[in-house]
Amino acid sequence: MAQPKVVIIGAGIVGTSLADEITQRGWTDVVVVDRGPLFATGGSTSHAPGLVFQTNPSKTMSEFARYTAEKFLALEHPDGWCFNPVGGLEVATTPERWTDLHRKAGWARSWGIEGRLLDPGECARLHPLLDADRILGGFHTLTDGLAKALRAAEAQAKRAISRGAEFRPHQDVVEILHSGSRVTGVRTTDGVIDADIVVCAAGFWGAQLGKQVGLTIPLVPMAHQYARTGQIAELVGRNSELAEAGLPILRHQDQDLYFREHGDRIGIGYYGHKPMPVDMSTLLIDSANEQMPSMLPFTDEDFAPAWLESAKLLPALGDSKIEEAFNGIFSFTPDGMSIMGEHRDLSGFWVSEAVWVTHSAGVAKAMAEWITEGAPHTDVHECDLYRFEKPALSDEFILKTSSQAFVEVYDIIHPHQYRNDLRGLRTSPFYRREQELGAFFFEGGCWERPAYYEANAPLLQQLVDRGVEIPHREGWSARFYSPIAIAEAIWTREHVAMFDMTPLTRYEVAGPGALALLQRLTTNNLDKSVGSVTYTLMLDENGGVRSDLTVARLEPALFQVGANGPLDFDWISRQLPDDGSVTLRDITGSTCCIGVWGPAARDVVQPLTAADISHDKFKYFRALQTYLGPIPVTMMRVSYVGELGWEIYTTAEYGAALWDLLWAAGQEHNVVAAGRIAFNSLRIEKGYRSWGTDMTTEHTPAAAGIDFAVRMAKGDFIGKAALESAGAPEKVLRSIVFDDPATVVLGKEPVSVHGGTAGYVTSAGYSPTIGATIAYAWLPAAVEPGDDVFVDFLGTSHRAVVHTEPVVDPEMARIRR
């Protein structure tokens, strides 16, 4: 088979890194084109300040940054270093930021990045320009540093060229060529270049190129201010011309500022100004008098607050002034993450966009693995091109949320803090009833999801009156939370509750080829009788868990698939047979679902239907199409909370009537509505995993503790070969139970075993059933139930014990009654 021909659009840091990574893997027929000269092409790379801070709340982004730092450190360039590991220092001037730096120190430990918290004096000794009296402390990372982006780009390009790659400057891509649904090359201002694979790594020009092939690449080019001071007396003689910098790169995030040395001058970057989206249709005209298109005129009035705050933190600046400055263009996305993946409707057209220098080599490595091997080794679901719901692909959504992402670059963001704009886009038919009950809503996938209900506050008082201890939360852990959720969880276990499950993604897979397709895509055996419900997994080519599904066989050739989101639709779509024997429909918005769970669930539902829903007639993991009153429903006897009950589905037009019917029937059985926080606690009690949080493509089913959903004896399925050759996992997902009932962890905290960091928490919740906090944690496989572990939360170590699973009701008696 002939070697694939690859064209990469963009010779910035992403395109050059990708050319290096792909040619290293043996694909050497690579052409990189750029509209500008090499290697200062005029894009973001040409002016990037080069800060590489590795610690990020996202494990994926931290891994990308760490690989970038390590790779650039090893690069060689005749003009000098490509990466200067001066370290990174983030300082706090407010108690809130100081607490946030403790969180960041925890993330660093979780992801294996060396760092430590410092007092003001230690910070000042590291960075003598700091006024120690203005700070509360700092977080120092030893291996962060400065990337010389243009040198790193050229060094990687030269390595790619030595393997056979070709770089062509001054060639603007004017057309993406294709034959049917397959890319065939590009047309540039110099002619046609044939290709089997085209990768769009064009930076802030990427969205324009995407439009050529009918693809929305949700990014917004934004101007960001960067300035250089005049000579700083205290820096004179500190740095050789070659070294350029010796002090740690500095972030003053309380004022949206960062600082780095340029010899005896200081560079200052500022995110505190208003968002400045760039009109790409007029960019070349707007920047005609500038050094390059990515550098717009500096707006002094926007920078004035930055200069004042900089001089306060670094008093040595008081005798200087700004000598050079510009507004540089970078790409921002609705969620602040990069955009990676292949065009679903144009095979061979790949996207690697909204990538900063910080993550560039890491992204390129993952892209190269994806293109050449079929799957990246690092989980990239947070960056996947198809992660966005349809509303998030609108121009209004992209602009507003990307602008918010700019404003929040250095903000302290709670994991349950959601945007205020563009709320209420997707609501279930029960939304008005939920509002009447005082629901506080989380947002996910553009859906409004009840977190808890103020109407249940009296239940909390009842628990207190009967002596139930309610753990107290304060500060960060108390935000976007209410102890009412504990009452809702207890009420579910003791009585019955209604949960709005409408936002769960649902697909209809139908047609004569439906069973064969699903058998090939999933790990469990779906060739069962009509009415069966099966928990199963979809794996990638490496045997990693790309999703978990609940599949109900409603007719011989009709399946309802409970999935995790748009990435599942994308993956299944790509696998559809060409003969039209399978249709795939997203039915989420046209349907709705209520989970009715608790020991009294059957008492509520049985009087509403002529069907016999006793345990003997309607067993666990079965589905039934019937009526509740006059409403046609599909009932599935499954329970993510570990209680007797059903997921009850109907089409959207019957939704409000279904809620009212169940609510009225439940009054004599003390029914309540319950929200996502209680739901999360109950599912953790039962050992149920959440894909994307507890497990990803980086984990095999055995490691994640869900290999019971794999049937190796059935026919071939994607990932089966990888599982057959896989060794025993080095780390496994375990349930841990904390000693102190008041312990609160929120996820991503480091876990120590025998004094050394050995893993991290994925998710956690207070279990009212056992009166303790339960968490999942990735731990060494040698750690067994009964072993002690210690979890660090904001600098305090909390003891926990590894527990067998599930922690609550291991006999599954509550579900099967």
Side-chain angles (χ1 to χ4, degrees), residues 453-517:
Y453 294 86
E454 288 291 343
N456 293 328
L459 302 183
L460 187 62
Q461 186 58 51
Q462 289 182 32
L463 294 177
V464 172
D465 291 343
R466 75 187 212 198
V468 175
E469 198 156 323
I470 306 296
H472 176 68
R473 289 192 182 191
E474 59 184 21
W476 184 260
S477 62
R479 298 184 65 192
F480 309 103
Y481 171 82
S482 171
I484 290 172
I486 295 175
E488 293 176 355
I490 290 175
W491 210 259
T492 305
R493 289 273 184 250
E494 295 182 351
H495 301 281
V496 62
M498 291 166 50
F499 293 80
D500 183 355
M501 307 300 289
T502 302
L504 294 184
T505 302
R506 293 176 292 284
Y507 305 139
E508 181 185 272
V509 181
L515 175 61
L517 171 68

Side-chain angles (χ1 to χ4, degrees), residues 704-727:
I706 50 173
D707 49 347
F708 63 84
V710 180
R711 296 290 181 270
M712 296 296 286
K714 81 167 193 172
D716 194 26
F717 56 85
I718 294 174
K720 182 178 181 179
L723 293 187
E724 289 173 334
S725 61

Side-chain angles (χ1 to χ4, degrees), residues 211 214-219 334 339 344 384-399 401 422 425 446 566:
K211 290 178 181 177
L215 181 66
T216 299
I217 302 177
L219 65 81
I339 302 174
R344 184 161 64 222
D384 196 290
L385 167 66
Y386 285 99
R387 68 187 181 269
F388 298 100
E389 300 282 351
K390 284 186 178 179
L393 297 177
S394 66
D395 290 344
E396 180 181 5
F397 193 101
I398 294 169
L399 177 59
T401 54
L422 301 170
L425 291 177
C446 298

Side-chain angles (χ1 to χ4, degrees), residues 231-246:
Q231 190 178 73
I232 306 297
E234 286 84 343
L235 296 181
V236 174
R238 278 190 66 99
N239 301 306
S240 67
E241 186 175 337
L242 180 63
E244 190 175 318

